Amino acid sequence: MGGGGPHVVVVGAGSTGAAIAHDLALRGFAVTVVERGEVGSGTTGRNHGLLHSGARYAVTDPVAARECIEENLILRKIMPEGLELNGGYFIALTPEDMDFRQTFLEGCEAAGIPTRELTKEQLLRMEPRLSPKILGGVMVPDGVFEPYRFCLSFLASAQARGARVLTYHEVEGVLVEGGRTRGVQVRDRIRGRELTITADAVVNAAGPWAAKVAATAGCRVPLILAPGVMIAVGVRYSHRVVNRLAPPGDGDIIVPQRFTSMIGTTSWTVQDADLIPIPPDHVERMMDAGEAFFPGFRRQPKRGVFAVARPLVGPEEDQAEGEGFERAVTRDFACKHHEAEGAAGLFSVTGGKTTTSRLMAEAVVDQVGRWLGFERPCQTRTEVLLPPRRFFTERVVS
Amino acid sequence: MSWRLTLKIHRWQPGDRAPYYDHFTVEVPEEAYVLDAIEKVWAEQDRSLAFRHACHHASCGSCGLRVNGREKLPCITPVTDYPNGSTIQIDPLRHFPLVRDLVVDMGPFSQAMEAVRFSIIRHASEGVPDARSSEPPILPEEDHEATRFENCLECGLCVSACPIAGSALNYLGPAALAAAERMLVEPRGVDPLAVWEAIDHDDGLWRCHGAFECSAACPSEVDPAAAIMRLRRYGPKVGQVARQQRR
Ligand SMILES: Cc1cc2nc3c(=O)[nH]c(=O)nc-3n(C[C@H](O)[C@H](O)[C@H](O)COP(=O)(O)OP(=O)(O)OC[C@H]3O[C@@H](n4cnc5c(N)ncnc54)[C@H](O)[C@@H]3O)c2cc1C
Ligand code: SF4
């Protein structure tokens, strides 16, 4: 297994865990990924599939905006088989949206996001199904990924370098002895048995469940669970991604993919991410928002309605609650080493975006490597990933 | 309004001599899908239940299974397709190695897709197909580089529905044959002869008996049966041309 380096267990095979596994394997660590369900069955699989250009955050969160555009450009090179790269628009529906345009363009410029202004007429020619009521817009280098295959690509590449990926294996506890993390206690959900996996370090990338995993070692992960509702309809309304030219809000992104369009999203907070009931009024709001861009949207038969929780980095104090509040929290990510809490070698990663998962992985593996005294340069910026299907064709099962 | 269904779910784990069924009754909103009902069983009644799922909108193709014997993606199958208060039987896909409960191994299927070198990103030069629209697809001139995902989700429903796949273990199956057709139409740098040779044999293009079950099961407008029939007509010629070009 692996390149002879220390053994690291990664908990969770969402985009964060998958990217971390790949980075670790590429730097010569021995890697075991433990995922309680299918790859991407947490937040990642059910996300919007938007390869952010960063423009969405250009005004509200310049750091996230810059990270997005940098990662967007890297992913284009390392994931040639997994992206629809047709760009996206920010479209004004109201005069206020048009007023926001200048601020938006300045934000994009500061973050290094290329833009192109488009008139109403140009937009309607390029996207004939847009509402004739639109006022104008800006084009940006957004793209579309498939969340599941995004994860599979990273995992296939990790596997090719010896990583073991145990799906349907649930971490029941992080094992700590004398202030040091020794491994994980795992339930093999396929065979219905328990096993212990020893490790030199454990990276907790369990997304919205990261706090639960850390709690088994008596550690705390400040986390806000902020779900969003998404709806797919069986018509592709546009060639490119459509965003509202306004500060981030509800139902302001429509991602086309194959012959469908997906609108999202809303935001509220929950305590438990296992089963998130869908608020009916959120569905109505999304369909109305879609109608504003594309007349007829509301009447389309739905092809999936779902909600998952963003694992946002929370305040160190008690979790705050309520609607509206979460969108102000930075989209940045955090990697917490639980050494001071008596679990040296346990690292919890939260926040970020699928678009920035490679970058998060780089930062996490730098930190883990430093602590383990196994420092190798990160190589994920240029290493071309394997196609997603290779995860299944070259599977090494326990 | 809420919808009440009893799910009769196929259970099996390695070591079990035979599969059996467990019954779970759940209540979900009437807007819910069968996958939501299964997830609710897992979340609230039996955490040992194993099932595949990721995107919940027919994009990843991972959740395929059979409801009352019919191949479905439960993520887009409304619970209201079945009467309120009824019992529905949930089984894993057929013709795949069983891992546990509803989970199957996508290894052999993925190998068939690899054999025909299926690339999931295609040119969008024909524009954006939209089954519901009679308008011609429009792509502005500057979009000649546009790309999009292939329709095939690699969900395997067609293979499960195929009567041949059950008896011919090495049969490539409808998804791979339809994928081969796409690769011959738009090779994307792949050698067409290699694609043709991957299907021009008794376990490939010539095995299909034309039952058309695959196209009935396909949730993503691929119509593998039609692709197979087309391939049988023009495939040999494509193969011949490719062979001459290679010489
Ligand atoms: C509605 C919505 C839309 C979004 N849209 C976008 C978008 O368009 N573009 C973008 O870039 N980002 C988007 N994001 C953000 C992005 O989806 C998340 O930041 C990202 O998916 C988080 O990934 P993760 O791997 O940290 O978490 P997850 O994907 O949740 O992965 C954690 C994994 O850990 C597993 N797990 C949990 N507990 C255990 C255990 N005890 N043992 C083993 N495994 C365990 C889970 O099953 C899960 O698979 C969106 C988020 C939301 C909520
Ligand atoms: S051809 Fe259709 S049914 Fe078969 S794997 Fe592809 S999407 Fe699924």
Side-chain angles (χ1 to χ4, degrees), chain A residues 293-312:
Chain A
F293 285 109
F294 299 112
F297 192 98
R298 204 194 339 237
R299 290 191 308 277
Q300 288 304 332
K302 300 184 185 76
R303 202 175 153 90
V305 178
F306 47 96
V308 271
R310 298 170 189 81
L312 297 183

mmCIF file of all heavy atoms in Angstrom, chain A residues 293-312:
data_model
loop_
_atom_site.group_PDB
_atom_site.id
_atom_site.type_symbol
_atom_site.label_atom_id
_atom_site.label_comp_id
_atom_site.label_asym_id
_atom_site.label_seq_id
_atom_site.Cartn_x
_atom_site.Cartn_y
_atom_site.Cartn_z
ATOM 1 N N PHE A 293 -36.249 34.046 -14.960
ATOM 2 C CA PHE A 293 -35.233 33.959 -16.024
ATOM 3 C C PHE A 293 -35.816 33.343 -17.296
ATOM 4 O O PHE A 293 -35.557 33.798 -18.394
ATOM 5 C CB PHE A 293 -34.050 33.093 -15.576
ATOM 6 C CG PHE A 293 -33.135 33.756 -14.605
ATOM 7 C CD1 PHE A 293 -33.091 33.362 -13.278
ATOM 8 C CD2 PHE A 293 -32.287 34.768 -15.029
ATOM 9 C CE1 PHE A 293 -32.231 33.970 -12.386
ATOM 10 C CE2 PHE A 293 -31.414 35.379 -14.138
ATOM 11 C CZ PHE A 293 -31.389 34.979 -12.806
ATOM 12 N N PHE A 294 -36.579 32.259 -17.113
ATOM 13 C CA PHE A 294 -37.045 31.482 -18.257
ATOM 14 C C PHE A 294 -38.554 31.278 -18.175
ATOM 15 O O PHE A 294 -39.023 30.441 -17.402
ATOM 16 C CB PHE A 294 -36.346 30.114 -18.278
ATOM 17 C CG PHE A 294 -34.857 30.200 -18.416
ATOM 18 C CD1 PHE A 294 -34.024 29.823 -17.361
ATOM 19 C CD2 PHE A 294 -34.276 30.649 -19.593
ATOM 20 C CE1 PHE A 294 -32.645 29.896 -17.485
ATOM 21 C CE2 PHE A 294 -32.893 30.725 -19.720
ATOM 22 C CZ PHE A 294 -32.082 30.351 -18.674
ATOM 23 N N PRO A 295 -39.305 32.030 -18.959
ATOM 24 C CA PRO A 295 -40.757 31.868 -18.921
ATOM 25 C C PRO A 295 -41.136 30.417 -19.223
ATOM 26 O O PRO A 295 -40.608 29.826 -20.166
ATOM 27 C CB PRO A 295 -41.239 32.803 -20.044
ATOM 28 C CG PRO A 295 -40.128 33.790 -20.235
ATOM 29 C CD PRO A 295 -38.861 33.076 -19.897
ATOM 30 N N GLY A 296 -42.008 29.861 -18.399
ATOM 31 C CA GLY A 296 -42.423 28.467 -18.577
ATOM 32 C C GLY A 296 -41.752 27.520 -17.596
ATOM 33 O O GLY A 296 -42.178 26.382 -17.427
ATOM 34 N N PHE A 297 -40.699 28.016 -16.921
ATOM 35 C CA PHE A 297 -39.931 27.172 -15.994
ATOM 36 C C PHE A 297 -40.838 26.536 -14.943
ATOM 37 O O PHE A 297 -40.755 25.351 -14.646
ATOM 38 C CB PHE A 297 -38.851 28.027 -15.310
ATOM 39 C CG PHE A 297 -37.828 27.239 -14.549
ATOM 40 C CD1 PHE A 297 -36.594 26.943 -15.107
ATOM 41 C CD2 PHE A 297 -38.083 26.790 -13.249
ATOM 42 C CE1 PHE A 297 -35.644 26.223 -14.414
ATOM 43 C CE2 PHE A 297 -37.137 26.059 -12.542
ATOM 44 C CZ PHE A 297 -35.914 25.779 -13.136
ATOM 45 N N ARG A 298 -41.734 27.369 -14.403
ATOM 46 C CA ARG A 298 -42.571 26.922 -13.286
ATOM 47 C C ARG A 298 -43.453 25.732 -13.653
ATOM 48 O O ARG A 298 -43.789 24.920 -12.805
ATOM 49 C CB ARG A 298 -43.436 28.081 -12.809
ATOM 50 C CG ARG A 298 -43.887 27.948 -11.385
ATOM 51 C CD ARG A 298 -44.999 28.905 -11.017
ATOM 52 N NE ARG A 298 -45.090 30.047 -11.894
ATOM 53 C CZ ARG A 298 -45.016 31.301 -11.475
ATOM 54 N NH1 ARG A 298 -44.791 31.562 -10.206
ATOM 55 N NH2 ARG A 298 -45.179 32.289 -12.327
ATOM 56 N N ARG A 299 -43.811 25.640 -14.920
ATOM 57 C CA ARG A 299 -44.731 24.568 -15.319
ATOM 58 C C ARG A 299 -44.001 23.269 -15.673
ATOM 59 O O ARG A 299 -44.637 22.261 -15.966
ATOM 60 C CB ARG A 299 -45.552 25.018 -16.537
ATOM 61 C CG ARG A 299 -46.557 26.107 -16.228
ATOM 62 C CD ARG A 299 -47.501 26.318 -17.397
ATOM 63 N NE ARG A 299 -46.801 26.522 -18.672
ATOM 64 C CZ ARG A 299 -46.315 27.715 -19.079
ATOM 65 N NH1 ARG A 299 -46.473 28.775 -18.300
ATOM 66 N NH2 ARG A 299 -45.697 27.828 -20.234
ATOM 67 N N GLN A 300 -42.692 23.287 -15.677
ATOM 68 C CA GLN A 300 -41.965 22.079 -16.074
ATOM 69 C C GLN A 300 -42.103 20.981 -15.037
ATOM 70 O O GLN A 300 -42.037 21.248 -13.840
ATOM 71 C CB GLN A 300 -40.474 22.389 -16.263
ATOM 72 C CG GLN A 300 -40.178 23.206 -17.483
ATOM 73 C CD GLN A 300 -40.711 22.560 -18.751
ATOM 74 O OE1 GLN A 300 -40.844 21.330 -18.841
ATOM 75 N NE2 GLN A 300 -41.047 23.384 -19.722
ATOM 76 N N PRO A 301 -42.256 19.734 -15.495
ATOM 77 C CA PRO A 301 -42.225 18.621 -14.542
ATOM 78 C C PRO A 301 -40.841 18.577 -13.894
ATOM 79 O O PRO A 301 -39.826 18.783 -14.562
ATOM 80 C CB PRO A 301 -42.449 17.388 -15.419
ATOM 81 C CG PRO A 301 -42.710 17.862 -16.799
ATOM 82 C CD PRO A 301 -42.414 19.325 -16.886
ATOM 83 N N LYS A 302 -40.829 18.319 -12.587
ATOM 84 C CA LYS A 302 -39.545 18.300 -11.872
ATOM 85 C C LYS A 302 -38.839 16.974 -12.095
ATOM 86 O O LYS A 302 -39.471 15.943 -12.306
ATOM 87 C CB LYS A 302 -39.785 18.539 -10.385
ATOM 88 C CG LYS A 302 -40.447 19.882 -10.109
ATOM 89 C CD LYS A 302 -40.582 20.111 -8.611
ATOM 90 C CE LYS A 302 -41.345 21.385 -8.307
ATOM 91 N NZ LYS A 302 -42.802 21.230 -8.510
ATOM 92 N N ARG A 303 -37.547 17.025 -12.055
ATOM 93 C CA ARG A 303 -36.723 15.832 -12.227
ATOM 94 C C ARG A 303 -35.752 15.767 -11.045
ATOM 95 O O ARG A 303 -34.546 15.757 -11.211
ATOM 96 C CB ARG A 303 -35.976 15.945 -13.568
ATOM 97 C CG ARG A 303 -35.515 14.641 -14.160
ATOM 98 C CD ARG A 303 -34.913 14.888 -15.530
ATOM 99 N NE ARG A 303 -33.929 13.887 -15.885
ATOM 100 C CZ ARG A 303 -34.216 12.753 -16.537
ATOM 101 N NH1 ARG A 303 -35.434 12.484 -16.886
ATOM 102 N NH2 ARG A 303 -33.256 11.905 -16.831
ATOM 103 N N GLY A 304 -36.321 15.766 -9.854
ATOM 104 C CA GLY A 304 -35.508 15.724 -8.647
ATOM 105 C C GLY A 304 -35.625 17.013 -7.841
ATOM 106 O O GLY A 304 -35.502 18.106 -8.394
ATOM 107 N N VAL A 305 -35.947 16.846 -6.558
ATOM 108 C CA VAL A 305 -35.968 17.965 -5.605
ATOM 109 C C VAL A 305 -35.208 17.462 -4.388
ATOM 110 O O VAL A 305 -35.517 16.394 -3.873
ATOM 111 C CB VAL A 305 -37.409 18.326 -5.181
ATOM 112 C CG1 VAL A 305 -37.407 19.457 -4.160
ATOM 113 C CG2 VAL A 305 -38.259 18.685 -6.396
ATOM 114 N N PHE A 306 -34.204 18.207 -3.933
ATOM 115 C CA PHE A 306 -33.379 17.652 -2.865
ATOM 116 C C PHE A 306 -32.693 18.761 -2.082
ATOM 117 O O PHE A 306 -32.632 19.908 -2.537
ATOM 118 C CB PHE A 306 -32.338 16.676 -3.438
ATOM 119 C CG PHE A 306 -31.608 17.223 -4.636
ATOM 120 C CD1 PHE A 306 -30.371 17.829 -4.497
ATOM 121 C CD2 PHE A 306 -32.179 17.152 -5.892
ATOM 122 C CE1 PHE A 306 -29.705 18.351 -5.599
ATOM 123 C CE2 PHE A 306 -31.527 17.675 -7.005
ATOM 124 C CZ PHE A 306 -30.287 18.283 -6.853
ATOM 125 N N ALA A 307 -32.203 18.407 -0.914
ATOM 126 C CA ALA A 307 -31.505 19.381 -0.072
ATOM 127 C C ALA A 307 -30.383 18.682 0.678
ATOM 128 O O ALA A 307 -30.545 17.555 1.145
ATOM 129 C CB ALA A 307 -32.478 20.008 0.918
ATOM 130 N N VAL A 308 -29.250 19.332 0.730
ATOM 131 C CA VAL A 308 -28.146 18.856 1.583
ATOM 132 C C VAL A 308 -27.545 20.048 2.309
ATOM 133 O O VAL A 308 -27.741 21.192 1.909
ATOM 134 C CB VAL A 308 -27.011 18.171 0.801
ATOM 135 C CG1 VAL A 308 -27.270 16.705 0.654
ATOM 136 C CG2 VAL A 308 -26.761 18.862 -0.524
ATOM 137 N N ALA A 309 -26.758 19.734 3.341
ATOM 138 C CA ALA A 309 -26.251 20.807 4.192
ATOM 139 C C ALA A 309 -24.829 21.200 3.820
ATOM 140 O O ALA A 309 -23.964 20.350 3.629
ATOM 141 C CB ALA A 309 -26.304 20.378 5.652
ATOM 142 N N ARG A 310 -24.590 22.498 3.700
ATOM 143 C CA ARG A 310 -23.224 22.991 3.589
ATOM 144 C C ARG A 310 -22.564 22.824 4.958
ATOM 145 O O ARG A 310 -23.152 23.228 5.964
ATOM 146 C CB ARG A 310 -23.202 24.489 3.283
ATOM 147 C CG ARG A 310 -23.834 24.885 1.984
ATOM 148 C CD ARG A 310 -23.982 26.407 1.908
ATOM 149 N NE ARG A 310 -24.778 26.773 0.753
ATOM 150 C CZ ARG A 310 -26.108 26.739 0.714
ATOM 151 N NH1 ARG A 310 -26.796 26.380 1.786
ATOM 152 N NH2 ARG A 310 -26.753 27.060 -0.374
ATOM 153 N N PRO A 311 -21.368 22.279 4.993
ATOM 154 C CA PRO A 311 -20.656 22.234 6.280
ATOM 155 C C PRO A 311 -19.848 23.518 6.432
ATOM 156 O O PRO A 311 -18.669 23.558 6.151
ATOM 157 C CB PRO A 311 -19.743 21.014 6.112
ATOM 158 C CG PRO A 311 -19.541 20.859 4.623
ATOM 159 C CD PRO A 311 -20.648 21.583 3.917
ATOM 160 N N LEU A 312 -20.501 24.594 6.873
ATOM 161 C CA LEU A 312 -19.805 25.879 6.946
ATOM 162 C C LEU A 312 -18.993 26.000 8.221
ATOM 163 O O LEU A 312 -19.362 25.466 9.267
ATOM 164 C CB LEU A 312 -20.812 27.032 6.890
ATOM 165 C CG LEU A 312 -21.641 27.171 5.608
ATOM 166 C CD1 LEU A 312 -22.527 28.400 5.689
ATOM 167 C CD2 LEU A 312 -20.744 27.238 4.379
#
